[in-house]
Amino acid sequence: MKIAINTGGGDAPGLNAVIRSATKAALRRGWEVVGLRNGYASLYTDNPGEPLTHEAVKGITMQGGTILGAANRGNPFEIPVLQPDGSYIYVDKSDQVVSKLAEMGVDAVVAIGGDGSMHLAHRLSEKGLKIVGVPKTIDNDLVGCDTTLGFDTACSIATEAIDRISTTAESHQRAMIVEVMGRYAGWIALHSGLASSADVILIPEIPFTLDSVIKKLDDLKKHGKEHALIVVAEGAKLKDGAHFVKGKQVGQAELLGGAAAWLEKEIMARTGQETRSVILGHQQRGGRPSIYDRLISLRFGAEAIRAIEVGDFNKLVVMKENELRRIPIADVAGKFKTVPLDSDTIMTARDIGICLGD
Ligand code: F6P
């Protein structure tokens, strides 16, 4: 048996722990393991993969990033190719991916990724590739699972950063706005905002009004609190408004951002209160995974090998109600999970007086 492992999409803390456990579990069964570099990109080169050995995965459980490299432009169905006139054409190399893996003698692929990677995995499985997926994304927006690897670490980093920023808010009687990642879902904002006792949390699932935010700041002042902490998801949007978009790069999803800067300007203009905004950015994806992320990543990696061992292909290994399960990749491909408005987390935020902007 020979398997390949790839890490697609953005990096997330915990990827290396999956690579380690999947590799070791496979090697212990006498299988061969090959690591694909930068998503599927190495399959179009002369060096399509590198052998993963016990030595290669030694000591990587606690390392952030991915030893295999990641690729946001890694969709083999639409590879952007720069033309002499500066425009791009898109080339479909998906057949090459399938044939190259067959040529290398690869029987199955462990694809570690988020919604984009699972969408690709599903399309490649329709071309005959045998895949087992592992759910990765700091955004926690993959359907069918309670949590994805990287999310816990991202929330911890965001919470710690917001805690630190709150001291400046208090000392200077400022409104401090912290913009966190999460794409079109508010999981990171909601969890880190709650954990750091934010006064206002704005998430894409609940379009906000500026009036609602200003009213909360006024209420705080009436109760003697001169400073405020606002956590805003990068995907937050105004009622009847669109997401704040920073830009779009070739072959990639749109880049969200700008909500915090917009709020800073508007709050200062409307209230005169000293206001500052901070964008946490990629540090939320960086560095060592939390203990929880290390553990689920190790469990996901070994479970993927157990799935391959019994021929349970085209499944995504997930954590559901605290148990490992396998669900069809087809059921998650092309979908994404937002924060349910009736979730107890939302109700808790409201019950303790946090303004959600509506
Ligand atoms: O999906 C993970 C994520 O970090 C999102 O939260 C964010 O919107 C996006 O990736 C940023 O992408 P990039 O690394 O390409 O800037």
Side-chain angles (χ1 to χ4, degrees), residues 5 7 17 44 46 49 54 62 73 81 103 109 124-125 143 154 177 199 223 254 258 264 271 302 306 310 319 325 345:
I5 302 180
T7 49
Y44 327 128
D46 294 338
H54 286 291
M62 60 294 291
R73 290 171 163 204
V81 181
E103 197 183 295
V109 176
L124 289 169
S125 74
V143 297
I177 307 157
D199 302 294
H223 288 91
E254 62 185 0
E264 176 183 338
T271 67
R306 292 191 290 269
V310 296
M319 188 66 72
R325 296 191 192 156
T345 324

Short mmCIF file of all heavy atoms in Angstrom, two decimals, residues 5 7 17 44 46 49 54 62 73 81 103 109 124-125 143 154 177 199 223 254 258 264 271 302 306 310 319 325 345:
data_model
loop_
_atom_site.label_atom_id
_atom_site.label_comp_id
_atom_site.label_asym_id
_atom_site.label_seq_id
_atom_site.Cartn_x
_atom_site.Cartn_y
_atom_site.Cartn_z
N ILE A 5 0.10 12.21 1.12
CA ILE A 5 -0.53 13.18 2.03
C ILE A 5 -0.37 14.56 1.43
O ILE A 5 0.72 14.91 0.96
CB ILE A 5 0.14 13.14 3.43
CG1 ILE A 5 0.06 11.73 4.02
CG2 ILE A 5 -0.52 14.16 4.38
CD1 ILE A 5 0.70 11.59 5.41
N THR A 7 -1.48 18.92 1.99
CA THR A 7 -2.09 19.96 2.82
C THR A 7 -2.48 21.10 1.87
O THR A 7 -1.63 21.75 1.28
CB THR A 7 -1.11 20.46 3.91
OG1 THR A 7 0.17 20.75 3.34
CG2 THR A 7 -0.92 19.42 4.98
N ALA A 17 0.81 17.79 12.98
CA ALA A 17 0.45 16.67 13.86
C ALA A 17 -0.31 15.61 13.05
O ALA A 17 -0.13 14.40 13.27
CB ALA A 17 -0.39 17.17 15.03
N TYR A 44 2.86 18.44 -10.89
CA TYR A 44 3.13 18.93 -12.26
C TYR A 44 4.63 19.15 -12.46
O TYR A 44 5.04 19.75 -13.43
CB TYR A 44 2.40 20.25 -12.56
CG TYR A 44 1.06 20.43 -11.88
CD1 TYR A 44 0.78 21.58 -11.14
CD2 TYR A 44 0.09 19.45 -11.97
CE1 TYR A 44 -0.44 21.75 -10.52
CE2 TYR A 44 -1.13 19.61 -11.35
CZ TYR A 44 -1.40 20.75 -10.61
OH TYR A 44 -2.59 20.90 -9.99
N ASP A 46 8.97 17.73 -11.84
CA ASP A 46 9.79 16.51 -11.95
C ASP A 46 9.99 15.86 -10.59
O ASP A 46 10.53 14.76 -10.48
CB ASP A 46 11.19 16.87 -12.51
CG ASP A 46 11.07 17.36 -13.94
OD1 ASP A 46 10.06 17.03 -14.58
OD2 ASP A 46 11.98 18.10 -14.39
N GLY A 49 6.86 14.13 -5.33
CA GLY A 49 6.60 13.88 -3.91
C GLY A 49 7.86 13.43 -3.20
O GLY A 49 8.81 13.00 -3.85
N HIS A 54 9.80 7.92 9.43
CA HIS A 54 9.71 8.24 10.87
C HIS A 54 10.60 9.46 11.17
O HIS A 54 10.23 10.34 11.94
CB HIS A 54 10.18 7.04 11.71
CG HIS A 54 9.17 5.92 11.74
ND1 HIS A 54 7.97 6.02 12.38
CD2 HIS A 54 9.21 4.68 11.19
CE1 HIS A 54 7.30 4.88 12.24
NE2 HIS A 54 8.03 4.05 11.51
N MET A 62 4.23 19.66 17.57
CA MET A 62 4.03 20.99 18.16
C MET A 62 4.44 22.14 17.23
O MET A 62 4.37 23.29 17.61
CB MET A 62 4.76 21.11 19.51
CG MET A 62 6.24 20.92 19.48
SD MET A 62 6.74 19.24 19.04
CE MET A 62 6.21 18.31 20.46
N ARG A 73 -3.56 28.75 -4.34
CA ARG A 73 -3.92 28.75 -5.77
C ARG A 73 -3.88 27.32 -6.31
O ARG A 73 -3.60 27.12 -7.48
CB ARG A 73 -2.90 29.56 -6.56
CG ARG A 73 -2.93 31.03 -6.32
CD ARG A 73 -1.71 31.60 -7.02
NE ARG A 73 -1.83 33.02 -7.21
CZ ARG A 73 -1.16 33.67 -8.16
NH1 ARG A 73 -0.39 33.04 -9.00
NH2 ARG A 73 -1.29 34.97 -8.28
N VAL A 81 -2.62 30.72 -15.38
CA VAL A 81 -1.34 30.82 -16.12
C VAL A 81 -1.24 32.23 -16.69
O VAL A 81 -2.11 32.67 -17.46
CB VAL A 81 -1.26 29.77 -17.26
CG1 VAL A 81 0.07 29.87 -18.00
CG2 VAL A 81 -1.46 28.37 -16.70
N GLU A 103 0.66 6.71 -11.64
CA GLU A 103 2.02 6.39 -12.11
C GLU A 103 2.99 6.20 -10.93
O GLU A 103 3.89 5.37 -10.96
CB GLU A 103 2.48 7.59 -12.96
CG GLU A 103 3.65 7.38 -13.87
CD GLU A 103 3.97 8.74 -14.53
OE1 GLU A 103 3.12 9.24 -15.30
OE2 GLU A 103 5.04 9.29 -14.24
N VAL A 109 -5.12 8.95 -1.13
CA VAL A 109 -4.59 10.25 -0.69
C VAL A 109 -5.27 10.68 0.61
O VAL A 109 -6.50 10.57 0.73
CB VAL A 109 -4.85 11.33 -1.78
CG1 VAL A 109 -4.41 12.71 -1.30
CG2 VAL A 109 -4.14 10.97 -3.07
N LEU A 124 -12.11 15.27 -7.53
CA LEU A 124 -11.07 14.31 -7.92
C LEU A 124 -11.54 12.87 -7.67
O LEU A 124 -11.20 11.96 -8.42
CB LEU A 124 -9.77 14.59 -7.14
CG LEU A 124 -9.03 15.87 -7.55
CD1 LEU A 124 -7.91 16.22 -6.58
CD2 LEU A 124 -8.45 15.74 -8.97
N SER A 125 -12.34 12.68 -6.62
CA SER A 125 -12.85 11.33 -6.34
C SER A 125 -13.79 10.89 -7.48
O SER A 125 -13.86 9.71 -7.81
CB SER A 125 -13.56 11.26 -4.99
OG SER A 125 -14.81 11.91 -5.06
N VAL A 143 -18.98 22.04 7.23
CA VAL A 143 -20.21 21.41 7.74
C VAL A 143 -19.92 19.97 8.17
O VAL A 143 -18.92 19.37 7.80
CB VAL A 143 -21.36 21.40 6.68
CG1 VAL A 143 -21.77 22.80 6.31
CG2 VAL A 143 -20.97 20.59 5.46
N ALA A 154 -6.53 29.27 16.99
CA ALA A 154 -6.84 30.63 16.51
C ALA A 154 -7.63 31.40 17.56
O ALA A 154 -7.37 32.58 17.81
CB ALA A 154 -7.60 30.56 15.19
N ILE A 177 -11.10 48.43 18.67
CA ILE A 177 -11.78 47.48 17.77
C ILE A 177 -10.76 46.47 17.28
O ILE A 177 -9.69 46.84 16.79
CB ILE A 177 -12.36 48.23 16.55
CG1 ILE A 177 -13.23 49.40 17.01
CG2 ILE A 177 -13.14 47.29 15.66
CD1 ILE A 177 -13.38 50.47 15.95
N ASP A 199 -17.45 43.98 24.65
CA ASP A 199 -18.74 44.65 24.83
C ASP A 199 -19.61 44.50 23.59
O ASP A 199 -20.83 44.48 23.67
CB ASP A 199 -18.51 46.15 25.09
CG ASP A 199 -17.63 46.35 26.32
OD1 ASP A 199 -18.09 46.01 27.42
OD2 ASP A 199 -16.48 46.82 26.15
N HIS A 223 -23.29 53.86 32.42
CA HIS A 223 -23.00 53.00 33.58
C HIS A 223 -21.57 53.19 34.08
O HIS A 223 -21.02 52.35 34.79
CB HIS A 223 -23.26 51.54 33.23
CG HIS A 223 -24.72 51.23 33.11
ND1 HIS A 223 -25.40 51.32 31.90
CD2 HIS A 223 -25.65 50.90 34.04
CE1 HIS A 223 -26.67 51.03 32.11
NE2 HIS A 223 -26.85 50.77 33.40
N GLU A 254 -12.01 35.94 -2.57
CA GLU A 254 -11.82 37.35 -2.24
C GLU A 254 -11.24 37.48 -0.83
O GLU A 254 -11.49 36.66 0.04
CB GLU A 254 -13.15 38.13 -2.36
CG GLU A 254 -14.25 37.67 -1.43
CD GLU A 254 -15.57 38.41 -1.68
OE1 GLU A 254 -15.65 39.27 -2.57
OE2 GLU A 254 -16.53 38.08 -0.97
N GLY A 258 -11.40 45.23 6.51
CA GLY A 258 -11.70 46.66 6.42
C GLY A 258 -12.81 47.10 7.36
O GLY A 258 -13.04 48.29 7.55
N GLU A 264 -13.75 52.36 13.09
CA GLU A 264 -12.91 53.34 13.80
C GLU A 264 -13.27 54.75 13.36
O GLU A 264 -13.51 55.65 14.18
CB GLU A 264 -11.43 53.05 13.53
CG GLU A 264 -10.50 54.07 14.15
CD GLU A 264 -9.03 53.83 13.81
OE1 GLU A 264 -8.65 52.70 13.46
OE2 GLU A 264 -8.26 54.80 13.89
N THR A 271 -19.02 59.96 17.80
CA THR A 271 -19.00 60.12 19.26
C THR A 271 -17.87 61.01 19.77
O THR A 271 -17.89 61.45 20.91
CB THR A 271 -18.84 58.75 19.96
OG1 THR A 271 -17.53 58.24 19.65
CG2 THR A 271 -19.88 57.76 19.50
N ALA A 302 -4.51 9.41 12.40
CA ALA A 302 -4.53 7.95 12.56
C ALA A 302 -5.85 7.38 12.08
O ALA A 302 -5.89 6.30 11.46
CB ALA A 302 -4.29 7.61 14.04
N ARG A 306 -6.86 4.39 9.38
CA ARG A 306 -7.78 3.27 9.66
C ARG A 306 -8.88 3.20 8.59
O ARG A 306 -9.32 2.13 8.20
CB ARG A 306 -8.39 3.41 11.07
CG ARG A 306 -7.35 3.21 12.19
CD ARG A 306 -8.01 3.07 13.56
NE ARG A 306 -8.58 4.32 14.04
CZ ARG A 306 -7.93 5.22 14.80
NH1 ARG A 306 -6.67 5.00 15.17
NH2 ARG A 306 -8.54 6.32 15.20
N VAL A 310 -9.53 -0.08 5.75
CA VAL A 310 -10.74 -0.88 5.49
C VAL A 310 -11.43 -0.44 4.18
O VAL A 310 -12.56 -0.82 3.92
CB VAL A 310 -11.73 -0.80 6.68
CG1 VAL A 310 -11.11 -1.42 7.92
CG2 VAL A 310 -12.18 0.64 6.96
N MET A 319 -14.94 15.20 13.91
CA MET A 319 -15.25 15.11 15.33
C MET A 319 -16.70 15.56 15.46
O MET A 319 -17.05 16.68 15.10
CB MET A 319 -14.33 16.06 16.09
CG MET A 319 -14.39 15.96 17.58
SD MET A 319 -13.80 14.39 18.18
CE MET A 319 -12.06 14.55 17.90
N ARG A 325 -15.89 10.35 13.66
CA ARG A 325 -16.79 9.69 12.71
C ARG A 325 -16.28 9.91 11.30
O ARG A 325 -15.41 10.74 11.07
CB ARG A 325 -18.20 10.28 12.80
CG ARG A 325 -18.83 10.03 14.15
CD ARG A 325 -20.30 10.38 14.15
NE ARG A 325 -20.76 10.38 15.54
CZ ARG A 325 -21.80 11.05 15.98
NH1 ARG A 325 -22.48 11.80 15.15
NH2 ARG A 325 -22.15 10.99 17.24
N THR A 345 -24.48 29.68 22.33
CA THR A 345 -23.38 30.66 22.44
C THR A 345 -23.89 32.07 22.13
O THR A 345 -23.55 33.04 22.81
CB THR A 345 -22.24 30.29 21.46
OG1 THR A 345 -22.13 28.88 21.41
CG2 THR A 345 -20.94 30.89 21.87
#
